[in-house]
């Protein structure tokens, strides 16, 4: 394969004609495919169907301390659910609060609480002139939307294979007391699928923030979401590292079963120091009488323990691994050596991150949409939706069927080629 | 029966000796009873057990528009759940958003949103020097805790049998732009069981608030929670009244199935104008990907429609009516004519409101606690926990068994007598 960048103008023009024709043919097929959101497929959801049965037909609805899970009470989670999500989070149950159906909601509420009430006695952020967050990029659009919604200034930090640029993080965090947090998806990151290295986690734990209320928002959304039995990424547990480093209160860990059981009907949790949990509780005790304990019980009865969770996740992996492989094979086959794109090869999580030539991402996504394939919006992986290079595209292979995905991937690589040729011709 | 106030000192002293002895005997029984919180009893919860079955064994888990309720999507509620809670709220489904498991949480979030983002484009409350709420008293402690938590100044408004003192409400709301809201439990109010009259609702709808972002927090928690088939209180639907009066955006209506199905595992809803709902949605779209649609589906499959809800509530009534009657009979038999207390006789809801002689409520609750009967803390029904007359006590008869409740009611009336005699002797 000849690199596009080495082609003559004539070669590019000939190529473009050929690609235009292929594109017209594909467009004529009237496809309606979606590679935009990190949603499990119906086949994956079927894995948890027995969860609908575990509380049926007169099952015991008391938790292990004898509390009737049908009634009010137990604001921070039933003990067996704390144990289950504690195991999943690799922390002691006493460092866990169980929440409702969405860890995103808990992150949002944590920012909202910090705005109106401050963090552990510090000045409420709404009374400060300026509040800033560090945002490893590309990253998760819904994180960035939360900080944007509260008027928090976001600063891009480049992501590498071993995590965010820690030189930059250390410098900024130690110098600027307006920096109150950083968004992290430390394992099988969204969208790259990178896992922070031991050194990165240790450097996080040893940060010396200028702001006493600086917190690491550690969204461990894909902690057990491996793709391969024999290639498990390993992430150092940060709560323990922070304690060792004398920063016990510096991190909030978030997790949920959204992509383990049912998105929207899972359970979420926070793991943090006891001082932080007390801070969370002052808010939640006024906010609610308690979360859905029956759903907590449902999860415990279905998964039982960490082994149950892992066994379940391997069934998920068996379904989504061929999808990741299909997309990666298509990218390899169609784009390798052309010098018009790079992409990640994750061992877990829900996404592949694709970087096109500079200035092509919006055009690729728009071409794909016109041909009936919805991609995550270009720019979505950056704060304010602004990708400075207009090159990053998040590919979400899990939701479509293999057949749909094959089609969608073909459309995608065609659009990459076309946009790249257009770009080179316009130079 | 002779009124205590007409007794001589000698009579009072003789009475006190007799009551002291009764109290000592009861205390010796080592009771452990609870009339403090508005919790359904286990027998009531059993009424909804079939809700654990309706999604089991391969039941259809798509909503009527074909969306898979197990996956992400549909942020404001599945159509059939909007219809069910719309019927319960007496509004069109297009004026409904379905939330998670707690309407208290939605009220809290509404205040939080108003603090950081303001109401429909108005100045965020956190940027104002002073924000005030009107609080009909006695009222619901958890409402008052929310406004207290956000540093909102609370102003007591006396409650009458037909609702809050509307002369006072009209005057304050029209004169003071710092007044941003009022807490209302308009039907079978907490704790009195009063229902606002037609005139009260109409006067609410015709308010001319000085603040454009003034909102009525209409917590219709007991809308279908009748005690008698033949004595249903009627509450005028306020959303329509507000629209008629040219104030379409002035009210947020809250409801939930917490005391219909399972507290903590029910579904909650807001009914409001479309402009208000749009305001709610800007917040919730950043806060969450969506609420638990499986639980919405569970409720719809179990209750089906408003008739199903009403039939179900009559089963609740059959269980709790004898409990209300037992407490009322005990109060009547033991306290009538003594001039040491007054109490309400509700047609629905979860509470009886008791007013002792001034300055006796704390003593009564403390005496009851010492004798093994937990009551709602004296003062809890007032903002900041401060009952200016120290006389109101909320009685919650639903949770104990009839046998326990009989015992608890006997202890309560004895404590009322004893505290009243003590008070008269100390004068």
């Amino acid at each position: 394969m000849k690199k596009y960048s080495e082609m003559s103008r004539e070669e590019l023009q000939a190529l473009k004609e050929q690609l235009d024709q292929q594109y017209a043919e594909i467009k004529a097929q009237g496809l309606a495919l979606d590679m935009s959101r990190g949603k499990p497929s119906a086949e994956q959801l079927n894995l948890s169907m027995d969860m609908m049965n575990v509380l049926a037909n007169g099952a015991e609805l008391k938790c292990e301390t004898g509390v009737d899970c049908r009634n009010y009470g137990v604001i921070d989670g039933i003990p067996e659910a704390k144990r289950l999500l504690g195991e999943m989070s690799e922390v002691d149950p006493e460092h866990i609060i169980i929440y409702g159906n969405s860890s995103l909601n808990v992150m949002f509420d944590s920012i909202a609480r910090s705005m109106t009430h401050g963090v552990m006695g510090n000045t409420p952020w709404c009374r400060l002139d300026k509040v800033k967050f560090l945002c490893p990029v590309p990253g998760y659009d819904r994180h960035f939307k939360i900080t944007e919604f509260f008027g928090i200034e976001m600063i891009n930090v480049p992501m590498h294979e071993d995590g965010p640029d820690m030189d930059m993080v250390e410098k900024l965090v130690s110098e600027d007391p307006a920096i109150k947090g950083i968004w992290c998806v430390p394992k099988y990151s969204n969208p790259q699928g990178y896992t922070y290295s031991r050194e990165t986690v240790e450097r996080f734990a040893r940060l010396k923030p200028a702001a006493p209320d600086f917190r690491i928002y550690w969204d461990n959304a894909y902690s057990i979401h491996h793709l391969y039995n024999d290639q498990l990424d390993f992430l150092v547990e940060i709560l323990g590292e922070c304690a060792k480093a004398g920063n016990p209160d510096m991190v909030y860990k978030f997790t949920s079963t959204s992509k383990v059981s049912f998105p929207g009907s899972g359970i979420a949790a926070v793991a943090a120091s006891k001082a932080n949990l007390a801070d969370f509780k002052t808010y939640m005790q006024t906010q609610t009488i308690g979360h859905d304990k029956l759903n907590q019980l449902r999860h415990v009865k279905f998964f039982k323990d960490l082994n149950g969770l892992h066994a379940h996740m391997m069934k998920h992996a068996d379904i989504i691994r061929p999808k990741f492989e299909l997309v990666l094979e298509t990218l390899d086959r169609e784009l390798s050596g052309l010098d018009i794109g790079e992409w990640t090869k994750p061992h877990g999580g829900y996404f592949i991150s694709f970087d096109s030539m500079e200035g092509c991402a919006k055009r690729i996504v728009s071409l794909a949409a016109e041909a009936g394939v919805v991609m995550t919006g270009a720019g979505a992986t950056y704060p304010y939706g602004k990708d400075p290079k207009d090159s990053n595209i998040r590919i979400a292979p899990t939701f479509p069927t293999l057949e749909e995905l094959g089609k969608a991937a073909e459309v995608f690589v065609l659009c990459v080629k076309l946009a790249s040729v257009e770009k080179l011709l316009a130079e």
Side-chain angles (χ1 to χ4, degrees), chain A residues 10-302:
Chain A
E10 290 66 35
E11 283 176 308
L12 286 170
Q13 232 130 17
L15 177 59
K16 181 168 186 301
E17 271 173 42
Q18 189 190 326
L19 294 171
D20 277 339
Q21 196 186 324
Q22 287 175 26
Y23 183 74
E25 284 165 15
I26 273 190
K27 226 174 104 173
Q29 292 178 27
L31 301 173
L33 304 168
D34 194 328
M35 287 203 295
S36 74
R37 300 300 317 175
K39 290 169 71 166
S41 63
E43 197 183 352
Q44 289 174 267
L45 300 176
N46 288 342
L47 297 174
S48 302
M49 282 306 286
D50 206 37
M51 193 177 281
M52 295 294 96
N53 301 327
V54 291
L55 298 191
N57 305 317
E60 174 65 78
L61 300 182
K62 287 183 177 157
C63 73
E64 62 187 28
T65 45
V67 171
D68 190 337
C69 291
R70 303 171 302 173
N71 218 330
Y72 289 119
V74 195
I75 192 159
D76 59 352
I78 61 173
E80 48 267 65
K82 283 188 182 180
R83 211 158 50 228
L84 183 72
L85 269 74
E87 286 179 342
M88 189 170 155
S89 307
E90 304 172 272
V91 305
D92 194 278
E94 65 187 11
H95 288 288
I96 290 277
I97 293 176
I98 305 289
Y99 280 84
N101 75 322
S102 157
S103 57
L104 191 76
N105 198 327
V106 188
M107 294 176 227
F108 180 98
D109 284 4
S110 301
I111 303 274
R113 183 185 66 244
S114 306
M115 292 298 293
T116 55
H117 289 79
V119 175
M120 277 174 59
N122 289 283
T123 307
W125 297 353
C126 70
R127 294 212 204 118
L128 302 174
D129 289 334
K130 179 70 89 179
V131 175
K132 303 176 190 171
F133 249 64
L134 302 185
C135 300
V137 289
Y140 179 33
D141 55 350
R142 288 186 183 269
H143 284 164
F144 304 153
K145 289 244 168 75
I146 291 175
T147 24
E148 183 176 2
F149 187 68
F150 284 99
I152 294 170
E153 183 183 317
M154 294 180 277
I155 300 169
N156 292 357
V157 175
M159 269 292 287
H160 305 306
E161 279 196 44
D162 58 355
D165 182 326
M166 290 308 293
D167 291 341
M168 187 173 171
V169 170
E170 285 167 351
K171 184 169 157 40
L172 288 171
V173 164
S174 65
E175 287 175 359
D176 189 351
I179 296 177
K180 301 299 187 188
I182 180 168
W183 288 117
C184 295
V185 183
K187 193 165 180 183
Y188 303 134
S189 65
N190 179 352
Q192 308 90 340
Y194 293 155
T195 297
Y196 294 10
S197 69
R198 169 175 291 279
E199 192 197 336
T200 296
V201 178
E202 287 172 354
R203 288 176 75 176
F204 261 112
R206 283 191 240 110
L207 284 175
K208 297 287 169 234
D213 51 352
F214 171 85
R215 293 293 181 272
I216 304 164
Y217 277 62
W218 197 256
D219 182 4
N220 206 357
Y222 307 107
S223 60
I224 55 174
H225 302 57
H226 313 287
L227 281 173
Y228 304 95
N229 249 317
D230 52 352
Q231 293 179 75
L232 310 177
D233 281 8
F234 173 74
L235 175 71
V236 176
E237 196 291 297
I238 194 169
L239 197 57
E241 287 302 312
C242 282
K244 269 197 275 177
N247 283 323
D249 302 327
M250 200 171 57
V251 64
Y252 300 151
K253 285 178 72 171
F254 303 93
T255 194
S256 85
T257 67
S258 290
K259 290 176 191 89
V260 179
S261 58
F262 299 120
S265 302
I267 56 177
V270 165
S273 71
K274 287 183 186 174
N276 276 324
L277 293 187
D279 206 31
F280 274 80
K281 279 182 198 171
T282 58
Y283 196 80
M284 78 189 280
Q285 273 162 358
T286 312
Q287 188 180 30
T288 184
I289 308 178
H291 296 291
D292 186 342
K293 293 186 297 298
L294 287 175
N295 207 31
Q296 293 172 25
L297 197 61
R298 201 174 273 128
H299 279 72
V300 173
K301 292 209 183 212
F302 180 67

Side-chain angles (χ1 to χ4, degrees), chain A residues 188 224-232 313-314 316-318 320-322 324-325 328 345-351 398:
Chain A
Y188 303 134
I224 55 174
H225 302 57
H226 313 287
L227 281 173
Y228 304 95
N229 249 317
D230 52 352
Q231 293 179 75
L232 310 177
M313 292 316 289
M314 277 300 137
H316 276 287
D318 288 341
I320 64 178
R321 191 187 318 111
F324 274 79
E325 287 173 348
L328 291 170
K345 293 178 177 157
H347 296 159
Y350 260 62
F351 305 104
T398 56

Side-chain angles (χ1 to χ4, degrees), chain A residues 248-425:
Chain A
D249 302 327
M250 200 171 57
V251 64
Y252 300 151
K253 285 178 72 171
F254 303 93
T255 194
S256 85
T257 67
S258 290
K259 290 176 191 89
V260 179
S261 58
F262 299 120
S265 302
I267 56 177
V270 165
S273 71
K274 287 183 186 174
N276 276 324
L277 293 187
D279 206 31
F280 274 80
K281 279 182 198 171
T282 58
Y283 196 80
M284 78 189 280
Q285 273 162 358
T286 312
Q287 188 180 30
T288 184
I289 308 178
H291 296 291
D292 186 342
K293 293 186 297 298
L294 287 175
N295 207 31
Q296 293 172 25
L297 197 61
R298 201 174 273 128
H299 279 72
V300 173
K301 292 209 183 212
F302 180 67
F303 289 116
K304 294 187 175 67
D305 55 23
L306 189 62
N307 287 332
L309 282 170
H310 279 310
H312 187 77
M313 292 316 289
M314 277 300 137
K315 295 182 198 162
H316 276 287
D318 288 341
I319 296 170
I320 64 178
R321 191 187 318 111
K323 297 185 178 180
F324 274 79
E325 287 173 348
L326 175 60
V327 172
L328 291 170
E329 280 159 21
T330 309
L331 293 170
D332 271 336
R333 186 182 65 241
E334 296 293 328
L335 300 181
S336 273
L338 302 185
D339 205 20
I340 58 172
E342 293 179 343
W343 53 94
T344 58
K345 293 178 177 157
H347 296 159
Y350 260 62
F351 305 104
I352 293 163
S353 179
F354 183 88
D355 283 309
S356 71
M357 293 170 62
E358 277 198 40
C360 287
K362 276 189 188 154
R363 177 65 180 152
I364 293 168
V365 169
S366 146
L367 281 167
E370 237 181 287
V373 176
V374 181
M375 308 290 303
T376 307
T381 52
Y382 280 76
Y384 311 106
K386 286 182 195 156
D387 175 357
K389 294 185 178 168
D390 184 27
S391 78
N392 188 252
I393 298 172
R394 187 183 76 166
I395 301 175
T398 56
F399 187 67
T401 63
L402 260 181
E403 197 192 338
E404 291 167 340
L405 191 69
K407 255 312 186 226
E410 295 295 341
V411 173
F412 177 73
V413 293
L414 177 61
C415 296
V416 171
K417 290 177 185 173
L418 194 49
S420 306
V421 170
E422 285 175 359
K423 156 99 180 170
L424 288 164
L425 281 170

